[in-house]
Amino acid sequence: MFWSPPSEALIGRSRICKLRLNAPDVSKEHAALRWSRSCWQIRDLGSRNGTFVGGKRLSPGAVSRLSAGVTIRFGDDAAYRLAEVGPPCQAGHGHHEERGDMKAALASPPGGSFLATTLGSDAGRASLQLQQQDTVLRFQVSRDEENVRMIVSTRGGDIDLESRAHHYVALLLGRRRLVDVEAGVVDAEQGWLYVDELARQLGTTRTHVNVALHRLRKQLIAHGFSDAFGVVERRSSSGQLRIAVRRLEVCSAGRFPSRRAGSGA
């Protein structure tokens, strides 16, 4: 059984994943597969049971470049082999869910039926980086906090993401990091917030939080950010999240700057 993924694909148990794996040791958002100009890459999203490339477990958040024939495994679930290394095509953009005999076929050892990547290319798209030292994530917030506008300031200028409902989740994570910066918390411990606590602040559910983060990633991907899947870091062992961008600004709508975090800010 072959699966042709789109140029960006979440892998895990969550309904928002492009490749859904119904296995208890697979995290809801386990890993992210993406086409990067000339190669396929996979990133572990802080999964509980690990993402393995060629038998080697990736560190949480680590990215591995994939070569033809390499075997990929998610926890103790199915082993997959990258059948081809060409760019993506539009054919793979639907959701694909593993169940029954299909999963058994995908779980075969190398030489059987595995994950295929034969997909339509975004190779000519600009590759922007969110986590460059001089990149600033800016939030403009209305007085009633009903509207949150996000602007990403990069070396090439400002990218206006406009006002979206899902930006409020990123705002809460950003504020938490700002508080920790002002309190002198070391970088590695700044900004972590439990998913359940974040959901309570929003008056919603964990599912809503995950959907909002998925929409944020999609928006960033659409604007050419190659590390969009890493905009929010996860600690799957503790159920914590934080905004990954170090330089942040928050102010009233129409005004900058106000509060900042990160080196050079």
Side-chain angles (χ1 to χ4, degrees):
M1 183 68 188
F2 288 86
W3 177 59
S4 295
S7 57
E8 302 272 359
L10 273 177
I11 300 169
R13 292 187 292 108
S14 172
R15 291 184 178 181
I16 66 174
C17 292
K18 291 293 184 182
L19 177 60
R20 292 181 62 191
L21 302 175
N22 292 327
D25 60 320
V26 173
S27 300
K28 288 185 177 179
E29 294 182 29
H30 194 106
L33 183 71
R34 67 179 300 273
W35 172 258
S36 177
R37 297 198 176 195
S38 61
C39 70
W40 286 96
Q41 297 178 344
I42 195 162
R43 178 195 294 271
D44 180 82
L45 299 178
S47 62
R48 182 182 298 273
N49 295 304
T51 301
F52 298 81
V53 177
K56 182 179 180 181
R57 180 169 181 166
L58 300 182
S59 301
V63 177
S64 177
R65 180 171 178 166
L66 303 177
S67 57
V70 70
T71 300
I72 310 163
R73 181 165 57 82
F74 308 101
D76 291 327
D77 190 63
Y80 298 79
R81 181 170 58 84
L82 190 69
E84 299 180 21
V85 291
C89 65
Q90 300 300 319
H93 284 219
H95 286 265
H96 183 69
E97 183 171 357
E98 297 315 318
R99 58 177 103 205
D101 56 352
M102 184 181 294
K103 180 175 178 181
L106 288 169
S108 302
S113 296
F114 293 88
L115 178 67
T117 56
T118 55
L119 289 171
S121 176
D122 66 345
R125 188 176 64 181
S127 180
L128 302 172
Q129 295 287 323
L130 281 165
Q131 298 191 53
Q132 295 282 355
Q133 288 295 315
D134 57 354
T135 297
V136 183
L137 186 57
R138 307 173 186 270
F139 298 89
Q140 289 183 338
V141 188
S142 64
R143 186 180 297 272
D144 60 6
E145 301 208 348
E146 289 294 321
N147 295 289
V148 179
R149 180 183 179 188
M150 284 179 58
I151 298 171
V152 185
S153 295
T154 69
R155 295 174 181 175
D158 290 348
I159 298 174
D160 189 353
L161 302 180
E162 302 181 337
S163 179
R164 297 287 187 274
H166 56 263
H167 292 169
Y168 194 65
V169 176
L171 172 66
L172 294 183
L173 291 171
R175 281 176 170 166
R176 181 57 173 261
R177 187 153 193 170
L178 285 166
V179 168
D180 285 349
V181 169
E182 292 183 357
V185 177
V186 297
D187 181 78
E189 298 301 320
Q190 291 172 8
W192 293 105
L193 193 63
Y194 287 98
V195 179
D196 289 338
E197 182 182 349
L198 183 57
R200 283 196 297 271
Q201 290 184 24
L202 293 164
T204 187
T205 64
R206 293 170 63 100
T207 298
H208 176 84
V209 171
N210 288 328
V211 169
L213 295 177
H214 174 64
R215 288 172 177 168
L216 175 60
R217 294 185 190 109
K218 284 186 65 176
Q219 188 182 21
L220 291 167
I221 290 167
H223 281 82
F225 287 96
S226 62
D227 55 352
F229 279 105
V231 66
V232 173
E233 296 176 308
R234 290 180 178 268
R235 284 175 171 170
S236 59
S237 59
S238 62
Q240 290 175 295
L241 305 172
R242 75 166 177 176
I243 199 81
V245 181
R246 297 178 61 191
R247 299 185 63 191
L248 307 167
E249 296 183 5
V250 179
C251 75
S252 300
R255 297 178 58 190
F256 276 123
S258 179
R259 304 173 68 195
R260 298 185 175 188
S263 60

